[in-house]
Amino acid sequence: MRVLVVEDERRLAAALQRGLRAEGFAVDLAHDGEEGLWLATEHDYDVIVLDIMLPLLNGYRVCARLRAAGDDTPILMLTAKDGELDEAEALDTGADDFLSKPFSYVVLVARLRALVRRTGRRLPQTLEFGDLAIDPARRTCTRAGAEVRLTTREFAVLECLARASGGVVSKREILERVWDSAYDGDPNIVEVHISALRRKIDAPFGRAAVGTVRGAGYRLAVDGG
């Protein structure tokens, strides 16, 4: 899941980014409303976490402009403690949910997952490719009925390929969706994770589901290989 966090409190934003990445999310950050609006317009996100009190352009206006442009990405707005008027205006502006500061991180993650499920932006609960089954909600993977243990990143790469339904996914797309758009490390990290997936979901079962399309990227065979 790719998340945009628009929050001007930098320590809070950084903490959210670290925590959400640990949960397997790809996270982009913006520290003012104009940057947040630009990122939301330029990239495809599964959900947006949007503070209300932002420099340059407040959260209400960011939300309103996205909705006016036809962008239906789920938005969770962060409001002031006991801010009933904030909560009401957030919903009236087009937000899908709100959370009052200070908030529980566990509740935030649960709200984000629920938002995405409710708005139907994910694929069906279980994704099946032959005898390979991927359950994004439970974050489990099985091959021929046997559980395959994957790391958080490995699962995220596999889910990214599964979302394409047999289509080719470029290395850049994987980096942006599994890491984030600001990732500036070694891009060969994608190959490392692809190799790990092949060792875990293909080799032990005599399959070849994870394929390389030379010069284009990777794909997951619709029949499970």
Side-chain angles (χ1 to χ4, degrees), residues 154-176:
E154 289 166 358
F155 188 91
V157 172
L158 180 60
E159 185 183 357
C160 184
L161 297 177
R163 281 175 172 243
S165 301
V168 177
V169 184
S170 70
K171 182 188 295 186
R172 172 49 54 188
E173 288 177 272
I174 294 174
L175 284 171
E176 289 186 354

Side-chain angles (χ1 to χ4, degrees), residues 51-127:
D51 190 27
I52 291 177
M53 301 301 292
L54 294 168
L56 304 182
L57 200 64
N58 68 39
Y60 297 131
R61 295 175 67 187
V62 172
C63 183
R65 291 190 186 184
L66 289 173
R67 296 301 187 239
D71 190 326
D72 64 352
T73 303
I75 295 175
L76 184 148
M77 293 191 78
L78 302 178
T79 67
K81 184 179 180 181
D82 300 324
E84 292 184 357
L85 294 179
D86 285 347
E87 293 167 1
E89 188 167 354
L91 296 175
D92 287 342
T93 305
D96 299 275
D97 200 359
F98 59 83
L99 198 58
S100 299
K101 294 180 180 179
F103 52 81
S104 161
Y105 175 74
V106 173
V107 172
L108 171 67
V109 172
R111 290 277 187 94
L112 293 180
R113 293 194 188 280
L115 261 183
V116 175
R117 287 197 305 269
R118 191 163 69 235
T119 53
R121 292 174 67 88
R122 298 290 281 234
L123 291 175
Q125 185 172 11
T126 301
L127 314 176

Side-chain angles (χ1 to χ4, degrees), residues 1 4 9 17 20 27 37 44 50 52 67 77 81 83 87 95-96 103 129 138 156 171 183 194 222:
M1 190 189 301
L4 172 63
E9 294 181 37
Q17 185 178 50
L20 291 172
V27 185
L37 180 62
D44 182 27
L50 180 63
I52 291 177
R67 296 301 187 239
M77 293 191 78
K81 184 179 180 181
E87 293 167 1
D96 299 275
F103 52 81
F129 297 80
R138 294 184 177 84
K171 182 188 295 186
Y183 178 78
I194 290 292
V222 293

Side-chain angles (χ1 to χ4, degrees), residues 2 44 107 111 141 144 147 150 160 180 216:
R2 189 175 185 187
D44 182 27
V107 172
R111 290 277 187 94
C141 172
E147 182 179 0
L150 302 175
C160 184
D180 57 53

